[in-house]
Structure formats: structure tokens, C-alpha cells
Amino acid sequence: GAVVSQHPSRVICKSGTSVKIECRSLDFQATTMFWYRQFPKQSLMLMATSNEGSKATYEQGVEKDKFLINHASLTLSTLTVTSAHPEDSSFYICSAPGQAFKGKLFFGSGTQLSVL
Amino acid sequence: RKEVEQDPGPFNVPEGATVAFNCTYSNSASQSFFWYRQDCRKEPKLLMSVYSSGNEDGRFTAQLNRASQYISLLIRDSKLSDSATYLCVVNLNTGFQKLVFGTGTRLLVSP
């Protein structure tokens, strides 16, 4: 079945550094990729929607200059957290809809980011 | 008011028990509804869609009440492996552009 491969699964970095998270769709083409963030005991919050070949659409309150999204091909979308700070520490997860969407999103395995 | 509201729990139940979770949504124009399951720090996985007529999948039964904007999930004969967080998910349009996730209800099934 369709799989979304996300890595790294865990990142620990110093404040001020940039972190890149990759999501690849395996065996299917993902023209759209959703990026979510989840803080402990909170719901998945949609940050942005990336579309292959065009600019990402950011949700209200999400800084596009801080969270850079690139959807360079039909199988790869990346999220770069620039100049990370401790408050950016969170669980980041991507997902892509299947071709016959019926509520089923294919999720990556998530990235736990810890900024010291 | 949150778009999707759930009781965070935890619900502590013994094996074999029946447990029900509720969820309310605020947007009456919501088109479709789902229950996802999420294990700790793992990706959510689709458990089942929720249809107006109610639907069942093995030990799991989902119900939708559009008039009350209310969704439920019933789990019968709980297993230890059912321990997880159950996310109520609402789609605000007919595509996939606006899935809204509830905070989830945590279930703990004990021996």
C-alpha cells in the first residue's frame, strides 16, 4: 500500500540552528502534502499545505519565513524550521491524501523536534 | 468554541468492557467525519469513516447525529491493544483540504 516515509524521526538541536524534515511518498505521487504540528496533549494542527510546483499555503498564524516548505517533486516535500527556538519543540508530521480520498490520509511516522 | 471537541479522558476500563466516546463539531456545513487512532508519538491511522446511518466494523460502531452535530464511537469487548488515543476528525468540505482533528480521547484498557 501507499506509504509516506518521513525522516528524521527525532532531532535534538541547539537554539538558532535550522532543521530540515523530509517526507517522501513511496509508490504513489503526492501532488499535495499536509504538514502538521502536535504539542503534547493537543490536537494535530495543520501548519501548511504544500503543492508540487507551486507555493505552499500557510494556515493563519504560521510564519512562512520560519517554516519553509518546498515541494520539489511529486514524491518529495520538505519542511525546514529556520532558526529554531525551544518553543518550536514539537512533533511534526506530514501526510498525503491517496488518489481515491475517502478520509484516508497517508501519514509519515513523524519527527520529534527538541530544541535546547 | 473549538471546531471539534472531545473529552480528553483518560477512560480507564477493564478488558472486555464496552466504552463509548463522544465528539461534537461546531460547523454545521461539515461534510464528512472519521475516527482515527493514534498511539503515543506515532502517526494517526484511520479507524473508520462515520456515516449518517451509522456503521459498524467488528467491535467498533460509529454514529453520526447531524442535527446535534455529534459523533460517537463505541468499542465493545475492549482489548488491551485498544489502548490508544482516539481522534475525532471532521472534513469541512468534500475534498481533503480541511480536515480538522479533535484533541483526542485517551483510552487505557487494563487486564
Side-chain angles (χ1 to χ4, degrees):
Chain A
V3 172
V4 174
S5 174
Q6 180 173 350
H7 71 272
S9 59
R10 187 174 181 86
V11 179
I12 300 173
C13 68
K14 292 181 180 180
S15 185
T17 59
S18 293
V19 175
K20 180 186 279 189
I21 301 170
E22 290 189 352
C23 277
R24 292 180 184 274
S25 58
L26 307 180
D27 299 325
F28 75 105
Q29 294 180 334
T31 55
T32 298
M33 190 77 76
F34 300 111
W35 287 95
Y36 295 88
R37 178 169 54 184
Q38 186 177 33
F39 292 107
K41 297 184 180 180
Q42 294 189 24
S43 58
L44 285 164
M45 295 299 297
L46 181 65
M47 299 175 65
T49 302
S50 73
N51 298 289
E52 188 270 335
S54 63
K55 290 183 179 180
T57 303
Y58 289 81
E59 295 298 302
Q60 191 173 11
V62 178
E63 300 174 58
K64 62 180 181 181
D65 294 330
K66 181 169 182 63
F67 298 99
L68 301 179
I69 289 175
N70 185 282
H71 199 136
S73 73
L74 289 171
T75 59
L76 175 63
S77 178
T78 61
L79 167 67
T80 301
V81 183
T82 62
S83 187
H85 288 95
E87 58 266 30
D88 297 323
S89 299
S90 185
F91 186 66
Y92 293 84
I93 192 164
C94 62
S95 72
Q99 285 186 336
F101 179 74
K102 292 185 179 179
K104 187 169 180 63
L105 290 175
F106 298 102
F107 281 89
S109 53
T111 298
Q112 183 63 51
L113 172 63
S114 299
V115 185
L116 305 177
Chain B
R1 183 183 173 188
K2 290 181 182 177
E3 290 180 291
V4 179
E5 292 202 66
Q6 294 181 253
D7 179 344
F11 284 55
N12 292 286
V13 302
E15 268 187 295
T18 295
V19 61
F21 307 137
N22 302 321
C23 168
T24 58
Y25 59 95
S26 60
N27 192 328
S28 59
S30 300
Q31 297 284 339
S32 50
F33 312 88
F34 312 93
W35 283 101
Y36 273 72
R37 170 193 168 131
Q38 186 178 25
D39 293 288
C40 187
R41 284 293 172 256
K42 300 285 186 182
E43 71 276 22
K45 294 182 180 178
L46 179 64
L47 181 63
M48 59 196 303
S49 301
V50 187
Y51 302 119
S52 298
S53 55
N55 50 298
E56 187 175 305
D57 183 2
R59 298 181 293 109
F60 300 86
T61 301
Q63 297 276 356
L64 167 65
N65 184 321
R66 284 189 183 270
S68 301
Q69 296 179 198
Y70 168 98
I71 305 158
S72 67
L73 176 68
L74 181 78
I75 305 176
R76 292 182 299 277
D77 188 24
S78 299
K79 311 291 184 190
L80 295 176
S81 57
D82 293 334
S83 297
T85 297
Y86 291 83
L87 307 175
C88 176
V89 184
V90 173
N91 195 8
L92 297 184
N93 62 31
T94 55
F96 47 75
Q97 285 81 0
K98 193 62 177 177
L99 278 183
V100 180
F101 288 79
T103 54
T105 298
R106 191 172 172 209
L107 172 65
L108 298 173
V109 182
S110 55

